[in-house]
Amino acid sequence: MKAKNIVGIILIVVILFLLFLVLSQESSKKVEVVEKVEEKVSKVEPKLEKSEEEKYLEDLKKQAGAKTDYEVSKYYKTACSSCHGKSGEGTKVAPSIAGKSYEYIVEKLDDYKNDRVVNSLMKGLLNNTSDEDLKILAKEIANFK
Ligand code: HEC
């Protein structure tokens, strides 16, 4: 009886030891998998950034290649031209702003910025634009004929 008990205990210890081995291997496998996934993610991310950047550059090239009558500032190009056209000629979305005087444009922009004329499209844009920049922009637009 005693010998059997001892053998039983030894067996249990061995089984527990094997279980422990298996479990610890499993968890180290899991860690490996997590590391691999992280590696893949970090490999993929820079690629995404690059293609975004490439798209942006392509867009810029297209814009640069498009025929314009005027040298427009980068700010006008990025902030205004999508709605008002390459040189203020207007689009389906927004009216023409070419051929207007400097004073008129400054006044209009100020109206939008300060809610005297309510227009959510223009207001959202102008919220982050300083009065100085508005004047510079207005000067530029006043040259559009
Ligand atoms: C998202 C589209 C959009 C963008 C971008 C945009 N505008 Fe406008 N803008 C409009 C719309 C629409 C109106 C007409 C609003 C109205 O009728 O009150 C307008 C009106 C104007 C007017 C008044 C025109 C007039 O004769 O009454 C001026 C000036 C103007 N925008 C300048 C700008 C400038 C400068 C920028 C760049 C900082 C700009 N807009 C960017 C949509 C846009």
Side-chain angles (χ1 to χ4, degrees), residues 32-48:
E32 260 173 44
V33 168
V34 167
E35 274 171 1
K36 269 186 193 160
V37 168
E38 274 172 2
E39 234 174 69
K40 273 187 190 165
V41 167
S42 68
K43 267 183 202 159
V44 167
E45 265 175 353
K47 265 189 197 163
L48 274 183

Side-chain angles (χ1 to χ4, degrees), residues 75-76 78-84 93-97 100 104-106 108-109 112 117-119 121-122 125-126 129 134 137-138 141:
Y75 185 62
Y76 178 81
T78 51
C80 321
S81 73
S82 53
C83 289
H84 286 289
V93 185
S96 162
I97 48 172
K100 308 255 197 276
Y104 176 87
I105 293 164
V106 168
K108 273 285 173 183
L109 293 180
Y112 290 123
V117 175
V118 180
N119 182 278
L121 288 178
M122 291 297 298
L125 255 165
L126 300 177
T129 313
L134 287 190
L137 257 177
I141 294 165

Side-chain angles (χ1 to χ4, degrees), residues 2 13 16 20 33 40 50-52 60 62 70 79 84-85 91 101-102 111 121 126 130 142:
K2 264 197 174 176
V13 168
L16 281 179
F20 171 76
V33 168
K40 273 187 190 165
K50 222 182 182 181
S51 71
E52 282 291 309
L60 275 186
K62 266 186 219 155
Y70 303 94
H84 286 289
T91 64
S101 71
Y102 168 75
D111 281 349
L121 288 178
L126 300 177
S130 70

